[in-house]
């Protein structure tokens, strides 16, 4: 089993297909306009759909990702020459260059260790101009994801960009921690049209709202808003998301 699906072009191609028509893009586009950002960095940009959307709307768009296979798709998509692409991490964003940094698609959950998360927040703080913003979302841990992320609940079938269909599903194989703050490892399975079966393990951190607020404060951010859903409703016991807008202090 290859450990990183983001480095496997076969898995990246199916991910890009699954990303079509995402609801969170409009949310972050509106936010970029509201905070009057000119330069927007999409940290963990993946296959680059959002960075290209930004650039088409006149923002200076920068897409950053450590996975070369993701950036290969980003660079070659339609209008993929409009953003600036950086193969790297937050540490590679020039200091003071960004008005807004976004981490969408639950990129924040890829920072499993507290030290990795704190380092990334410190690097984003350095990369932002005075008064710049950071926006991201993380799944609300209390929603019992282990019970929801089963093959039965996650299996989907899509058309494959090269023809035929593929079927993908995920299954949690390990959970460590408490219901309100935990680390889970799941295996993503994909059956490709040619009969190949892919398996990729991935480990994600589910932080509580308190942990997110405290880590942002310690990194020099003020939380301006914390929503529970893409319609900007507040966090409730049934919210799936913790959606954050923070400002560099
Ligand atoms: C689920 S994908 C989301 C991609 C894209 N943001 C989206 O919404 O479609 C997670 C992305 O986070 C990236 N990633 C993982 N570790 C990272 C790190 N340390 N810094 C920046 N990005 C990272 C992965 O390479 C991958 O592209």
């Amino acid at each position: 089993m290859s450990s990183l699906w983001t480095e496997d072009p076969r898995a990246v191609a199916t991910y890009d297909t699954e990303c079509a028509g995402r609801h969170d893009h409009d949310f972050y586009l509106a936010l970029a306009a509201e905070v009057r950002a000119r330069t927007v960095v999409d940290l963990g940009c993946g296959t680059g759909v959002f960075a290209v959307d930004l650039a088409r709307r006149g923002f200076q768009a920068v897409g950053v990702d450590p996975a070369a296979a993701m950036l290969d798709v980003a660079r070659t998509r339609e209008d993929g020459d409009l953003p600036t692409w950086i193969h790297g991490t937050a540490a590679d964003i020039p200091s003071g260059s960004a008005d807004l940094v976004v981490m969408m698609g639950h990129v924040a959950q890829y920072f499993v260790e507290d030290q990795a998360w704190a380092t990334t927040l410190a690097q984003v703080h350095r990369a932002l101009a005075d008064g710049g913003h950071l926006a991201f979302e993380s799944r609300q841990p209390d929603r019992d994801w282990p019970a929801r992320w089963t093959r039965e609940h996650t299996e989907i079938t899509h058309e494959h960009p090269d023809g035929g269909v593929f079927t993908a599903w995920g299954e949690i194989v390990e959970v460590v921690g408490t219901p309100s703050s935990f680390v889970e490892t799941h295996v993503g399975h994909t059956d490709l049209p040619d009969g190949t079966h892919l398996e990729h393990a991935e480990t994600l951190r589910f932080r509580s709202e308190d942990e997110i607020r405290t880590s942002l404060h310690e990194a020099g951010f003020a939380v301006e808003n914390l929503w529970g859903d893409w319609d900007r409703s507040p966090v409730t016991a049934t919210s799936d998301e913790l959606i954050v807008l923070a400002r560099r202090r």
Side-chain angles (χ1 to χ4, degrees):
M1 188 190 326
S2 162
S3 59
L4 277 181
W5 66 269
T6 54
E7 294 288 6
D8 182 340
R10 300 168 302 175
V12 169
T14 60
Y15 176 75
D16 193 50
T17 304
E18 290 173 54
C19 280
R22 290 220 331 231
H23 51 284
D24 51 347
H25 285 200
D26 288 345
F27 175 92
Y28 284 110
L29 283 170
L31 217 53
E34 279 169 40
V35 301
R36 299 179 186 278
R38 289 165 55 94
T39 300
V40 182
V41 174
D42 184 6
L43 179 58
C45 64
T47 57
V49 182
F50 184 66
V52 167
D53 262 2
L54 282 167
R56 283 177 176 150
R57 286 164 172 77
F59 294 98
Q60 297 290 319
V62 181
V64 181
D65 205 288
M70 289 291 217
L71 288 180
D72 285 346
V73 173
R75 286 195 182 95
T76 54
R77 68 181 327 112
E78 195 181 345
D79 289 337
D81 57 331
L82 297 179
T84 300
W85 304 109
I86 298 177
H87 182 206
T89 66
D92 300 298
I93 309 169
S95 297
S97 64
D99 303 309
L100 171 67
V101 173
V102 299
M103 288 187 283
M104 59 195 302
H106 303 100
V107 168
Q109 296 189 237
Y110 283 75
F111 304 98
V112 174
E113 304 296 335
D114 286 340
Q115 188 54 51
W117 177 233
T119 300
T120 295
L121 290 179
Q123 292 292 358
V124 169
H125 192 274
R126 176 196 54 75
L128 283 169
D130 280 348
H133 286 83
L134 165 65
F136 66 92
E137 83 284 332
S138 192
R139 294 180 187 87
Q140 158 91 290
D142 294 332
R143 296 296 288 137
D144 197 5
W145 298 95
R148 296 165 77 179
W149 281 3
T150 62
R151 177 169 184 170
E152 183 195 358
H153 290 118
T154 60
E155 186 170 303
I156 46 119
T157 297
H158 271 290
E159 287 183 15
H160 194 279
D162 296 337
V165 295
F166 70 92
T167 299
W169 68 96
E171 283 174 335
I172 289 188
V173 293
E174 186 180 43
V175 180
V176 178
T178 66
S180 61
S181 175
F182 62 90
V183 174
E184 65 78 32
T185 300
H186 60 268
V187 176
H189 298 261
T190 311
D191 284 334
L192 295 176
D194 68 0
T196 306
H197 178 76
L198 305 179
E199 288 186 16
H200 295 279
E202 182 171 72
T203 300
L204 298 177
R205 174 73 184 267
F206 287 68
R207 291 186 170 83
S208 67
E209 181 180 337
D210 277 356
E211 287 171 325
I212 289 172
R213 285 185 181 276
T214 301
S215 60
L216 285 165
H217 179 77
E218 288 174 355
F221 289 94
V223 174
E224 286 193 344
N225 271 302
L226 206 153
W227 298 286
D229 208 340
W230 302 108
D231 62 4
R232 300 192 184 201
S233 51
V235 176
T236 68
T238 59
S239 306
D240 279 354
E241 305 284 352
L242 299 167
I243 308 169
V244 177
L245 177 65
R247 186 184 180 95
R248 183 189 198 275
R249 283 192 272 121

